Amino acid sequence: MCGIFAYIGGRPVLITLITGLKRLDYRGYDGAGVGLVNPQTKEIVIAKQAGAVSILEQYIQASCRGSILDKSSDFTLGIAHTRWPTMGAPTTQNTHPFFSNDKQWCVCLNGIVENSSKLTEQMMKEGYTFESENDVEVIAVLLEHLSKTYPDDPLSCFVATLSVIEGAYALCVLHASEERIYAAKLSSPLCIGIGDNEEKFLSSDPIAFREYTENVIHFDDNEICIISKDSFSVHKFRPSEGLEKDISHELRLHRTVKIPFSLDELELGNYPHYMLKEIYEQPVAVQRTYSGRIGPTHNYYASQIGKYIIERETHIPVRCEYASEFLTSARLFNRQDLVIAISQSGETADTREALLIAKRKGIEVAGLVNVVGSQIARIAGQGMYLHCGAEIGVASTKAFACQVAALIIFMLYLKKHLSSIRVSGDITPAHTPLLEPSPSFPSPQPNQPSSSRLFDPPVTKDVNGQPLEESIVRVCSALRDLPVLMQHVLSNTTTMSTIDEIVAFMKDRKSAIFLGRGIGYPVALEGALKMKEISYIHAEGYPAGEVKHGPIALIDEDMPVFFIVSASDSVVLTKIVNNMEEISTRGGKIITVTDCEPTNSDEKVQAQLKRVRSISAYTISVPCSDLCCSPILFTIPLQLIAYRIAVEKGINPDRPRNLAKSVTVE
């Protein structure tokens, strides 16, 4: 949430900043602004507007003709920001960048200044004035105030200011007297891209500068960067000790990574919205997730599917936790456990903090993320990358599918390798090839246990009594076939026609209920999430067996009820059909997503499926697959329904209100 972009080099600065902000629009679209240094007059020029980047661009084109911005082709550097509000209403006044009172300093920040109220009060007593409600303005004022202590020394002012502010931030600062950009990182993401002729880009996400360079360095916490046209330096910073030596050479050698997606992936192409584009990219994305890995608040719901799959196939107990609640439950974990942090961006603040809590307790950790080199990947030191490509749409689609696929792969490794671990119960990731460090993840600490100990002779059957290799081959085969089945869902004309009917029925509804049992329950939760975040229809997901304990009171002829019915799970099929009968009896309009056509050879299943269709107002059938893979197939129609309803209601599904893609503050 919130996006920072900065540039120094020979390109037209204003155009480059606006282009970068457009790439970051998914991180916030409630305000956008730019700040540039005029090298001739030693003045800073700011332009900002409430709303999306396009509004800022129109404002500059319409209102700044003949102004200094019209002559910005001679400028060499600037900073920019796109806003998701954490403090202060979404107004132009509260939009970044912010001036100091003397207009000599300009500041953009992604994060939050937790002691801003105290600092603002202190600065007001010193005679300074404030023009906004935003917590970040106080940083600009502090810089001006400290410049009295450190005259003609902007770097010392910057360092002294960092010693005073508390919170989480990715911070970019300009001073009118210098052609330099000062930047610092604590908790919020910040990276640098180095292009041709030593031009440099700073950003919250390398997406913003992918068209200029494929090389990126992600900063760690408590690192300060000073960039000029000809050089840049990076220093560790500690308030009590000041700056340490320049480590930029080491970063270039050891922390530079390639941005793992092409420029084409950032373009809409022939699609009207990124969400639709990314729904249709899911088959290829899932294929990339498992490619080379298999042989013979959506993250949480993906983890719930993973819990079901792992427990069913390995009998290893799994607990799912919202990262924001991990602080209260961390005491229940111990050093025999493994904590896996799941995050598309690898920057989610709550997830990052949960990972750090686990590490401080000595618990083994791993990451399951999409963005190479992200904070969670670096903190974890081991894990899996999704390789699903860039995801721009705020509502996650292909990242969710790839998270489920990655958890299936993780289950396969547990199934194959942990079945032979002794009764010690040690299931730390150092004992599985899957979670040993790859070139993408940093190396684990030297004191991690050797992967050669604790193994018994290989076993021949899995925990369910099935031949081990046979059960592994079954799931691997289903994973390999999955992209083809996903493409079938996306290209099936009958499915699309049914979705058209459901959208026409749903678009004027105010609420909906999603129900499922077993592996269908987290799918129901994900379907409800998509419905409310994209189409603004209030939706809730429940275990179907719990509907009698409260939610059934909401059922009448106007209440749509979505059922996820897996014919592959015969244990729960009869029970969920009974739940459907209970809803039908009370007049609820049933919309069913099921995974089998009525050609199943089992007569009992055939009868149940026939009943499902007869009591459903609408039925969508997706192809049959292994139960582990079925959630990915179930989710696709639910994504399309939410997307289509949003479009019918005139809602931009790429910019749902009040949401942002990467939640980098707690």
Side-chain angles (χ1 to χ4, degrees):
M1 56 178 49
C2 294
I4 282 181
F5 185 66
Y7 174 72
I8 186 165
R11 299 177 188 275
V13 175
L14 184 58
I15 294 173
T16 305
L17 292 176
I18 294 295
T19 302
L21 283 186
K22 287 179 179 178
R23 298 289 190 199
L24 295 174
D25 206 20
Y26 71 93
R27 298 180 72 93
Y29 26 86
D30 294 302
V34 296
L36 303 89
V37 173
N38 184 337
Q40 282 78 41
T41 63
K42 302 296 182 182
E43 294 176 316
I44 297 175
V45 183
I46 283 179
K48 56 185 181 179
Q49 284 289 296
V53 178
S54 58
I55 296 175
L56 171 66
E57 186 176 29
Q58 293 167 9
Y59 166 76
I60 290 173
Q61 292 172 350
S63 304
C64 298
R65 292 194 181 106
S67 72
I68 193 66
L69 282 175
D70 248 359
K71 304 170 185 177
S72 62
S73 58
D74 297 330
F75 297 0
T76 60
L77 77 163
I79 61 178
H81 187 275
T82 182
R83 183 175 186 238
W84 186 91
T86 53
M87 187 173 293
T91 64
T92 298
Q93 200 172 30
N94 288 326
T95 298
H96 303 225
F98 291 100
F99 267 135
S100 56
N101 283 190
D102 62 4
K103 302 291 192 291
Q104 293 297 293
W105 295 92
C106 174
V107 175
C108 288
L109 179 141
N110 171 20
I112 188 166
V113 183
E114 293 176 350
N115 60 337
S116 62
S117 296
K118 178 183 176 181
L119 294 174
T120 299
E121 184 178 345
Q122 291 175 353
M123 291 299 99
M124 290 178 71
K125 288 180 180 178
E126 294 287 340
Y128 296 98
T129 60
F130 291 81
E131 297 182 355
S132 76
E133 307 166 298
N134 197 295
D135 55 325
V136 177
E137 187 179 5
V138 74
I139 296 178
V141 173
L142 267 171
L143 287 162
E144 177 183 348
H145 181 67
L146 289 168
S147 66
K148 297 174 182 177
T149 305
Y150 304 98
D152 303 319
D153 190 356
L155 176 57
S156 293
C157 291
F158 184 61
V159 172
T161 300
L162 294 179
S163 301
V164 174
I165 61 175
E166 299 170 3
Y169 52 77
L171 174 64
C172 285
V173 171
L174 297 176
H175 189 267
S177 69
E178 295 188 320
E179 292 187 59
R180 287 184 178 182
I181 300 172
Y182 298 92
K185 176 201 174 325
L186 179 63
S187 298
S188 293
L190 187 66
C191 59
I192 184 170
I194 302 172
D196 297 335
N197 301 316
E198 286 297 302
E199 64 178 349
K200 300 166 193 74
F201 309 84
L202 289 167
S203 182
S204 305
D205 190 325
I207 278 177
F209 52 74
R210 176 61 185 88
E211 63 192 273
Y212 309 114
T213 180
E214 62 178 359
N215 299 311
V216 59
I217 299 171
H218 293 269
F219 293 120
D220 283 336
D221 283 351
N222 298 306
E223 288 183 346
I224 288 177
C225 180
I226 305 108
I227 64 174
S228 63
K229 196 168 184 180
D230 300 320
S231 65
F232 82 99
S233 62
V234 180
H235 308 263
K236 282 289 184 183
F237 164 74
R238 291 177 176 83
S240 59
E241 301 174 20
L243 295 186
E244 297 182 3
K245 68 175 184 177
D246 180 16
I247 58 172
S248 57
H249 180 68
E250 289 85 346
L251 296 192
R252 284 199 179 204
L253 287 177
H254 304 298
R255 219 193 285 172
T256 301
V257 296
K258 299 293 185 185
I259 301 173
F261 50 81
S262 67
L263 186 59
D264 289 344
E265 290 185 63
L266 304 180
E267 305 298 339
L268 269 174
N270 295 322
Y271 291 94
H273 300 100
Y274 280 107
M275 183 178 179
L276 186 63
K277 175 177 181 278
E278 288 157 7
I279 288 172
Y280 276 85
E281 286 175 344
Q282 288 180 108
V284 172
V286 167
Q287 188 174 35
R288 282 199 300 230
T289 296
Y290 73 66
S291 179
R293 285 187 170 128
I294 62 174
T297 110
H298 64 281
N299 301 337
Y300 179 72
Y301 300 153
S303 72
Q304 286 192 307
I305 293 171
K307 166 186 167 68
Y308 182 92
I309 292 168
I310 292 170
E311 290 184 340
R312 179 178 182 269
E313 295 287 338
T314 70
H315 291 193
I316 295 172
V318 177
R319 178 173 177 150
C320 298
E321 294 283 346
Y322 285 108
S324 60
E325 295 296 317
F326 188 76
L327 178 63
T328 58
S329 60
R331 62 184 181 275
L332 303 176
F333 294 83
N334 58 57
R335 295 190 180 190
Q336 294 297 310
D337 296 325
L338 167 65
V339 172
I340 302 177
I342 303 176
S343 168
Q344 187 282 134
S345 67
E347 305 290 352
T348 311
D350 291 335
T351 310
R352 175 187 178 277
E353 184 59 28
L355 201 62
L356 291 171
I357 291 169
K359 290 194 75 170
R360 286 195 289 267
K361 287 177 61 67
I363 301 170
E364 196 76 34
V365 300
L368 199 164
V369 302
N370 188 41
V371 179
V372 173
S374 56
Q375 291 188 86
I376 289 173
R378 300 198 307 277
I379 293 168
Q382 56 192 353
M384 294 174 63
Y385 284 121
L386 301 180
H387 298 299
C388 75
E391 188 177 66
I392 308 298
V394 170
S396 182
T397 50
K398 64 179 181 178
F400 175 85
C402 292
Q403 286 168 350
V404 175
L407 288 166
I408 295 171
I409 297 165
F410 179 54
M411 176 276 294
L412 287 170
Y413 274 85
L414 291 177
K415 195 178 184 76
K416 184 169 184 178
H417 296 280
L418 299 187
S419 58
S420 58
I421 288 180
R422 292 178 188 155
V423 183
S424 68
D426 192 333
I427 59 168
T428 56
H431 305 299
T432 79
L434 174 68
L435 291 178
E436 288 181 356
S438 70
S440 304
F441 275 88
S443 297
Q445 297 303 310
N447 62 354
Q448 285 188 325
S450 166
S451 60
S452 61
R453 64 181 178 88
L454 292 180
F455 279 82
D456 280 335
V459 295
T460 58
K461 291 189 177 182
D462 69 6
V463 293
N464 296 310
Q466 298 177 330
L468 184 60
E469 285 301 317
E470 182 180 311
S471 65
I472 291 173
V473 168
R474 166 179 56 83
V475 180
C476 287
S477 177
L479 265 177
R480 286 198 187 95
D481 293 341
L482 186 57
V484 174
L485 300 182
M486 296 169 72
Q487 190 59 52
H488 174 81
V489 176
L490 290 165
S491 59
N492 188 288
T493 55
T494 301
T495 297
M496 296 303 142
S497 177
T498 305
I499 288 175
D500 288 343
E501 296 174 11
I502 294 170
V503 169
F505 169 72
M506 284 292 304
K507 67 178 182 179
D508 296 321
R509 306 290 161 174
K510 302 299 182 185
S511 298
I513 293 174
F514 288 71
L515 302 174
R517 278 182 178 265
I519 206 166
Y521 167 50
V523 175
L525 292 173
E526 177 66 12
L529 177 64
K530 287 293 167 285
M531 186 68 74
K532 54 191 164 193
E533 68 182 351
I534 297 303
S535 66
Y536 307 160
I537 294 174
H538 173 247
E540 299 295 339
Y542 297 97
E546 295 299 308
V547 72
K548 295 184 290 293
H549 302 292
I552 202 167
L554 299 172
I555 303 301
D556 59 23
E557 61 276 6
D558 294 321
M559 176 62 75
V561 182
F562 287 76
F563 273 92
I564 313 302
V565 180
S566 175
S568 305
D569 194 347
S570 58
V571 174
V572 302
L573 179 58
T574 299
K575 294 181 181 296
I576 201 164
V577 172
N578 291 339
N579 299 139
M580 295 177 74
E581 295 276 12
E582 293 162 357
I583 299 300
S584 178
T585 299
R586 288 156 178 83
K589 301 298 183 184
I590 295 176
I591 301 167
T592 301
V593 182
T594 184
D595 65 347
C596 276
E597 296 291 345
T599 54
N600 193 295
S601 57
D602 188 313
E603 291 185 4
K604 184 177 179 181
V605 171
Q606 280 285 343
Q608 297 284 13
L609 288 174
K610 185 176 180 180
R611 185 59 186 146
V612 165
R613 290 174 178 276
S614 68
I615 60 178
S616 299
Y618 308 96
T619 303
I620 294 175
S621 293
V622 300
C624 292
S625 181
D626 188 86
L627 188 63
C628 294
C629 298
S630 62
I632 296 175
L633 296 169
F634 285 140
T635 305
I636 295 172
L638 301 178
Q639 294 169 344
L640 286 168
I641 290 168
Y643 168 80
R644 289 283 312 284
I645 293 172
V647 173
E648 285 292 319
K649 294 172 71 172
I651 298 167
N652 183 345
D654 289 341
R655 294 178 182 171
R657 66 188 176 208
N658 303 330
L659 296 179
K661 183 70 176 173
S662 182
V663 183
T664 56
V665 295
E666 295 184 71

